[in-house]
Amino acid sequence: MKKIFTLAAIASMAWSVNAQTTEAWSVANEDGTLKADYVPNADASAMSVVSFSTTNVSGTHTSGPVAGYEDGESLPLTPKVDNGWGNLNKKDLSKDGSVPVFYYVSGKGNPVNIDKVDFEEIVTDGTPTGRYRANWEKSYYAPDGSAGLPKNGTYVTLTTKVDGTLKVAIWINKGSRDIYVVKASDAKALALGIDVIASGHINGQNYDVEDDSPLKGYPKFQDNITPKGAEGNDAYVVGPGNQAFWGYLTFNATANETYYVFNKNTQLGFGGYEFTAAGSSAIDNIIADEAIDADAPIYNVYGQRVNKDYKGILIQNGKKFINR
């Protein structure tokens, strides 16, 4: 049974959330528009960076600039640059308001360590052609940290001032692609399904409902998704197949540590995060208040209407409470 921390059944009381211990940030404004910070760098050859912060968390969302090279030319190859941002994407994952609209925005460029790119000569029928192509193998991230951290492309960084739990909202276009949460201090990946728990919606995995239900065809929410593998080149959220994923990566964060979130390809969208400090229930005080309406609309911290099954910070009757 789900435990919901509210005194809706006791009309004379209400909970209040401590803003110093639980906080959230979204790429979308409350009216469903993209945050104004998402503007490409005027220099197309430079990285576009959106910086954000709340009380205990600071971070960045990066895009570009190098997405590849014009292969088949003589050295030096000409880089293809694109540092733009995608549009704000909105995925309505239910027809009955049981979950909020899922917002996310993506960037450009594979997350690579551009200093490690090699170039190899193209050989045709055993004959060198004098033309070259980029060999990205060394520049891709390695879960043991040996290839270093990304320096170009699409990725997110999150730094926490105190110990706590981070819940990061992401979209993955193809769930059978590696997904990583990486500690900056050693460049090593946390184990998916062990250190990092995935929850959310997988395309094609529908609610188990009758054919005439309004939820027919909508992906169900899964609390703890079993990944294909924990780490290495099989750290997939979805497992075999190319289904899209809208959901969350939740993991324990250490004070003053920076975490990178990315997958091996550019097809990753970032929606925002929630952070709860360790050692706190996220409940500050209990205050006497006027009677409240237990049937009043419920909203999340982004101002999106939800129901009581939604996990996180909820707002009802102007009061905040936590559903875990």
Side-chain angles (χ1 to χ4, degrees), residues 27-233:
V27 298
N29 297 306
E30 290 187 3
D31 63 355
T33 58
L34 182 63
K35 290 281 176 68
D37 295 332
Y38 279 91
V39 177
N41 192 321
D43 179 358
S45 65
M47 179 177 285
S48 298
V49 181
V50 173
S51 298
F52 48 83
S53 64
T54 51
T55 303
N56 289 307
V57 181
S58 60
T60 61
H61 188 190
T62 71
S63 179
V66 177
Y69 284 87
E70 296 290 353
D71 294 342
E73 301 176 352
S74 58
L75 291 178
L77 296 183
T78 303
K80 294 187 293 185
V81 296
D82 188 346
N83 66 351
W85 294 106
N87 296 323
L88 179 68
N89 294 281
K90 297 184 286 187
K91 179 67 175 178
D92 187 354
L93 291 161
S94 77
K95 293 181 180 179
D96 67 345
S98 60
V99 292
V101 174
F102 192 97
Y103 292 95
Y104 62 92
V105 64
S106 55
K108 301 293 180 67
N110 292 335
V112 296
N113 186 333
I114 200 67
D115 298 335
K116 294 183 177 293
V117 178
D118 287 336
F119 302 97
E120 58 186 9
E121 188 172 9
I122 299 172
V123 177
T124 302
D125 296 329
T127 303
T129 63
R131 294 178 287 111
Y132 289 78
R133 62 189 171 198
N135 181 353
W136 294 87
E137 194 61 33
K138 289 184 179 180
S139 70
Y140 285 130
Y141 173 75
D144 63 3
S146 59
L149 296 165
K151 295 182 179 178
N152 290 77
T154 300
Y155 58 88
V156 175
T157 70
L158 296 158
T159 304
T160 56
K161 295 180 181 178
V162 298
D163 294 349
T165 301
L166 273 166
K167 181 179 179 181
V168 184
I170 64 167
W171 161 82
I172 307 173
N173 187 36
K174 296 181 178 180
S176 58
R177 301 285 175 86
D178 308 350
I179 184 71
Y180 299 113
V181 176
V182 178
K183 291 173 60 177
S185 58
D186 59 13
K188 294 181 178 179
L190 303 183
L192 185 64
I194 300 173
D195 301 317
V196 180
I197 302 302
S199 61
H201 308 263
I202 299 173
N203 190 45
Q205 297 189 12
N206 301 331
Y207 286 103
D208 184 15
V209 297
E210 300 298 327
D211 288 342
D212 59 352
S213 168
L215 296 180
K216 187 67 176 181
Y218 277 65
K220 62 184 177 181
F221 184 90
Q222 301 178 56
D223 285 314
N224 191 339
I225 298 171
T226 302
K228 179 177 183 291
E231 54 191 349
N233 295 325

Side-chain angles (χ1 to χ4, degrees), residues 277-302:
S280 169
S281 65
I283 303 299
D284 183 22
N285 58 336
I286 302 175
I287 56 174
D289 202 359
E290 66 279 1
I292 61 175
D293 179 6
D295 296 322
I298 303 173
Y299 302 89
N300 64 12
V301 293
Y302 306 133

Side-chain angles (χ1 to χ4, degrees), residues 4-16:
I4 187 164
F5 293 86
T6 180
L7 294 185
I10 303 175
S12 62
M13 305 290 287
W15 292 98
S16 173

Side-chain angles (χ1 to χ4, degrees), residues 156 158 166-170 247-251 261 270-274:
V156 175
L158 296 158
L166 273 166
K167 181 179 179 181
V168 184
I170 64 167
Y248 308 92
L249 301 179
T250 301
F251 55 94
V261 180
F270 173 57
Y273 64 86
E274 290 183 7

